[in-house]
């Protein structure tokens, strides 16, 4: 997925063919939570294009800019850094992942190093998120997850 030139139609198609399990969203991808968070496919595509010139980290799956995170294989994971409530690393299935809880209560998982050695450290990405969202917690202790639960806001239908 080319972030610099993505259109609303391409974004909708990518979300529709992505990892969505709900048949309703397969038929109506414009109702995906990412579009409810950021104002529809056109506005979300514009946010992605605008931030794509400031790439901070890109491992061909996870792309982090100065403004957002996105899993190129799962565009419904688009998240503005300022909307993070908690961010931490997780090992799963031989790979390392960046896990982020957003302000709407969604837990997003981004592939950091899947079967490969990274020179870049996950802590650097977490620190960048923390600077963009100063109230973001950086672990998954019970008190941090309680903080996320208390600060979650409902997502508009």
């Amino acid at each position: 997925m080319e972030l610099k030139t993505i259109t609303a139609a391409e974004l909708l198609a990518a979300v529709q063919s992505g990892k969505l399990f709900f048949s309703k969203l397969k038929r109506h991808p414009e109702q995906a939570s990412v579009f409810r968070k950021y104002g529809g496919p056109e506005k979300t595509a514009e946010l992605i294009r605008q931030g794509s010139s400031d790439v901070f980290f890109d491992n061909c799956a996870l792309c982090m800019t100065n403004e957002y995170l996105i899993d190129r294989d799962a565009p419904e994971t688009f998240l503005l850094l300022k909307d993070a409530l908690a961010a931490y690393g997780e090992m799963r299935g031989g790979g390392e992942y960046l896990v982020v809880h957003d302000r709407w209560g969604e837990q997003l998982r981004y592939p950091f190093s899947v079967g490969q050695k990274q020179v870049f450290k996950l802590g650097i990405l977490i620190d960048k998120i923390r600077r963009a969202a100063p109230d973001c917690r950086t672990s998954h202790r019970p008190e941090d997850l309680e903080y996320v639960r208390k600060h979650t806001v409902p997502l508009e239908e």
Side-chain angles (χ1 to χ4, degrees), residues 34-48:
V34 67
F35 301 132
R36 295 193 334 245
K37 292 173 187 176
Y38 296 114
E42 189 58 51
K43 187 169 182 195
T44 305
E46 178 62 26
L47 289 169
I48 292 171

Side-chain angles (χ1 to χ4, degrees), residues 80-85 128-137:
L80 292 176
L81 299 179
K82 67 181 181 66
D83 293 327
L85 288 178
K128 185 147 186 79
I129 294 169
R130 180 71 190 252
R131 282 182 293 200
D135 294 330
C136 179
R137 300 293 178 98

Side-chain angles (χ1 to χ4, degrees), residues 18-87:
K19 301 172 184 171
L20 298 175
F21 298 109
F22 305 108
S23 61
K24 176 183 172 188
L25 292 179
K26 287 284 189 189
R27 289 190 306 271
H28 301 286
E30 68 281 353
Q31 295 175 2
S33 64
V34 67
F35 301 132
R36 295 193 334 245
K37 292 173 187 176
Y38 296 114
E42 189 58 51
K43 187 169 182 195
T44 305
E46 178 62 26
L47 289 169
I48 292 171
R49 286 191 303 269
Q50 285 174 354
S52 68
S53 60
D54 294 328
V55 173
F56 180 73
F57 175 82
D58 192 346
N59 67 1
C60 297
L62 165 60
C63 180
M64 176 188 248
T65 72
N66 289 320
E67 301 294 322
Y68 64 77
L69 288 163
I70 191 168
D71 178 344
R72 291 175 183 272
D73 296 328
E76 63 274 11
T77 63
F78 173 77
L79 180 71
L80 292 176
L81 299 179
K82 67 181 181 66
D83 293 327
L85 288 178

Side-chain angles (χ1 to χ4, degrees), residues 85 101 105 143-153:
L85 288 178
H101 295 260
E143 57 268 25
D144 295 322
L145 299 178
E146 179 63 20
Y147 168 83
V148 169
R149 191 185 66 71
K150 285 183 177 178
H151 289 86
T152 297
V153 296

